[in-house]
């Protein structure tokens, strides 16, 4: 029996954060056994924010190596660069014509990113969710594992698929979103009311990068914002402590109640140290593997080449079906 398909992506806009690992890639690695998984470094999406070309190239390669290091074997998963499979761009154009401006106007990420990049509110930033819909629908993905921040985009992808199918018949699989019950939104260590994000690097203590050295990680956790009541419990009105408990639970494979029980009667200082240590321990093997991969250029090149070829093969039938459906003349 054919395995159902999963698609998800990672933007090469910097070094992945602990948020990306706990909210996304940890789950991706778990899903490989049951699904046929495509994980893509979405370099085309990265262009929505102005990038230095050499830095983008280097972050892209780095990101692909992180995907492997974080447990996604290229033998079991299709790993590739979005820009290496032109079908993404081709389908995105078509889907732009089946997406309403009113829908895009409602996207909260567009509003947030526009506010942060007032000098470059480009059309790509606006139509980003359409390219994301194309990424997913191209492969007939039935499940898309993402962090909570992507829920609204996924809902739009579903609506576009339903609209298209409503006009032309069952061309696309309508994808479901998979959001992990714990860790779907890891918050900043200094701003625990806001998502930990790699592009918000003004305060380096706010985010943990997967490449951070142990001392840096421990220091960042020691400085994490808490609150003044000195009680370790998970609660909406305690964002700092709740975030630390979530990180601890995800890093150690425990539940939130187990994490709370483990810290019962302890102080915030102990909590911060132990969460930092758990993260150091979790990241260490990933960092070692990443260093080895980056030193083996030939291996990475092979993964990149084979991944693109496999993804392009998988994408071709859907793109052909879409072109036929909309009435493009078929090649002669
Ligand atoms: N803090 C987070 N908590 C939970 N999940 C997260 N993800 C990202 N940050 C968190 C999830 O990781 C996947 C890949 O994310 P991405 O790096 O492609 O894009 P992003 O969401 O745009 O991440 P950043 O760090 O916020 O990047 P910038 O700053 O460039 O926009 C996604 O599934 C995401 O949900």
């Amino acid at each position: 029996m054919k395995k159902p398909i999963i698609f998800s992506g990672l933007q090469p806009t910097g070094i992945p954060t602990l948020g990306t690992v706990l909210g996304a890639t940890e789950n991706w690695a778990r899903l490989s056994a049951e699904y046929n998984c495509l994980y893509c470094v979405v370099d085309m999406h990265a262009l929505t924010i102005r990038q230095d070309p050499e830095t983008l190239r280097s972050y892209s390669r780095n990101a692909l190596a992180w995907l492997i290091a974080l447990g996604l074997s290229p033998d079991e998963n299709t790993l590739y660069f979005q820009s290496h499979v032109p079908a993404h761009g081709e389908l995105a154009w078509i889907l732009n014509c089946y997406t309403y401006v009113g829908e895009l106007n409602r996207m909260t990420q567009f509003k947030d990113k526009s506010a942060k990049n007032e000098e470059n509110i480009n059309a790509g930033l606006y139509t980003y969710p359409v390219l994301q819909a194309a990424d997913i629908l191209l492969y007939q993905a039935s499940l898309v594992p993402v962090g909570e921040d992507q829920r609204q985009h996924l809902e739009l992808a579903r609506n576009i698929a339903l609209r298209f199918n409503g006009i032309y018949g069952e061309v696309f699989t309508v994808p479901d979103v998979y959001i992990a019950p714990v860790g779907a939104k890891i918050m900043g260590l200094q701003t625990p009311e806001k998502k930990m994000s790699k592009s918000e690097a003004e305060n380096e203590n706010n985010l943990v990068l997967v490449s951070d050295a142990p001392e840096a990680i421990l220091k960042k956790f020691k400085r994490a914002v808490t609150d003044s009541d000195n009680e370790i419990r998970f609660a909406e009105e305690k964002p700092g402590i709740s975030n630390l408990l979530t990180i601890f639970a995800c890093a150690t494979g425990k539940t939130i109640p187990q994490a709370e029980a483990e810290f019962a009667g302890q102080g915030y200082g102990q909590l911060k140290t132990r969460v930092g240590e758990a993260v150091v321990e979790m990241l260490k093997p990933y960092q070692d593997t990443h260093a080895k991969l980056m030193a083996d250029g030939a291996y990475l090149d092979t993964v990149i080449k084979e991944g693109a070829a496999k993804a392009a093969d998988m994408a071709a039938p859907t793109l052909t079906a879409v072109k036929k459906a909309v009435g493009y003349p078929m090649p002669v």
Side-chain angles (χ1 to χ4, degrees):
M1 221 173 65
K2 267 174 120 184
K3 286 181 181 176
I5 294 169
I6 275 187
F7 175 92
S8 205
L10 173 69
Q11 280 203 81
T13 41
I15 296 168
T17 70
L18 182 63
T20 307
V21 177
L22 301 183
T25 58
E26 283 277 293
N27 305 309
W28 299 356
R30 268 194 283 274
L31 294 162
S32 298
E34 281 174 61
Y35 292 86
N36 185 358
C37 304
L38 294 117
Y39 295 117
C40 179
V41 175
V42 288
D43 47 2
M44 291 163 70
H45 284 283
L47 285 190
T48 55
I49 309 288
R50 193 72 72 237
Q51 304 290 336
D52 168 65
E54 277 319 308
T55 310
L56 178 61
R57 237 186 303 280
S58 128
Y59 275 148
S60 298
R61 197 173 169 85
N62 210 277
L64 197 112
W66 276 116
L67 290 180
I68 306 171
L70 291 166
L72 302 168
S73 152
D75 300 328
E76 289 165 28
N77 304 274
T78 305
L79 310 177
Y80 67 102
F81 295 136
Q82 187 183 28
S83 64
H84 285 190
V85 181
H88 287 255
E90 284 191 76
L91 182 59
W93 170 255
I94 296 173
L95 296 186
N96 263 319
C97 304
Y98 296 82
T99 308
Y100 297 117
V101 167
E103 290 176 304
L104 295 179
N105 286 343
R106 286 197 289 277
M107 296 295 117
T108 57
Q109 193 180 82
F110 173 69
K111 290 177 199 161
D112 293 348
K113 292 211 168 176
S114 304
K116 278 192 229 154
N117 297 283
E118 275 180 339
E119 72 299 337
N120 182 22
I121 306 177
N122 59 70
L125 194 61
Y126 187 62
T127 58
Y128 179 117
V130 184
L131 177 58
Q132 190 173 351
D135 299 340
I136 297 162
L137 302 182
L138 198 51
Y139 298 99
Q140 306 291 345
S142 50
L143 201 66
V144 186
V146 286
E148 182 63 46
D149 57 315
Q150 295 299 326
R151 190 189 286 278
Q152 195 187 28
H153 288 172
L154 256 295
E155 201 47 52
L156 178 66
R158 284 175 56 85
N159 288 339
I160 296 172
L162 287 167
R163 181 171 308 136
F164 198 93
N165 288 353
I167 304 170
Y168 301 108
E170 298 301 300
V171 178
F172 294 125
T173 302
V174 180
D176 283 322
V177 61
Y178 173 80
I179 295 185
V182 184
K185 200 165 186 186
I186 300 297
M187 312 307 249
L189 298 185
Q190 295 294 314
T191 53
E193 56 295 321
K194 273 170 67 186
K195 180 190 127 178
M196 184 184 285
S197 207
K198 55 179 135 46
S199 61
E200 285 190 38
E202 304 87 51
N203 179 355
E204 61 165 27
N205 290 318
N206 197 34
L207 68 164
V208 174
L209 300 177
V210 280
S211 58
D212 276 347
E215 316 75 64
I217 296 173
L218 295 174
K219 197 181 85 189
K220 288 177 182 184
F221 277 101
K222 271 202 183 106
R223 296 188 178 170
V225 164
T226 52
D227 54 45
S228 53
D229 77 2
N230 221 27
E231 196 189 341
I232 301 179
R233 74 187 155 83
F234 190 96
E236 202 179 323
E237 68 278 13
K238 293 169 70 68
I241 296 301
S242 299
N243 193 35
L244 290 172
L245 284 169
T246 302
I247 294 172
F248 184 79
C250 290
T252 56
K254 295 185 174 157
T255 63
I256 297 284
Q258 283 169 336
E260 283 177 320
E262 200 155 326
F263 291 108
Q266 296 189 27
Y268 285 176
Q270 283 158 301
L271 172 71
K272 292 198 251 185
T273 303
R274 293 227 7 240
V275 180
E277 287 168 353
V279 170
V280 167
E281 200 176 315
M282 180 192 77
L283 291 181
K284 178 81 175 63
Y286 298 150
Q287 294 175 340
D288 293 346
T289 310
H290 186 261
K292 282 189 203 135
L293 285 164
M294 289 307 285
D296 191 348
Y299 172 72
L300 268 189
D301 286 346
T302 307
V303 171
I304 290 166
K305 225 164 118 180
E306 291 181 356
K310 205 168 146 201
D313 278 353
M314 287 175 74
T318 305
L319 190 61
T320 303
V322 170
K323 286 178 176 176
K324 263 193 196 149
V326 299
Y328 278 4
M330 287 293 106
V332 283

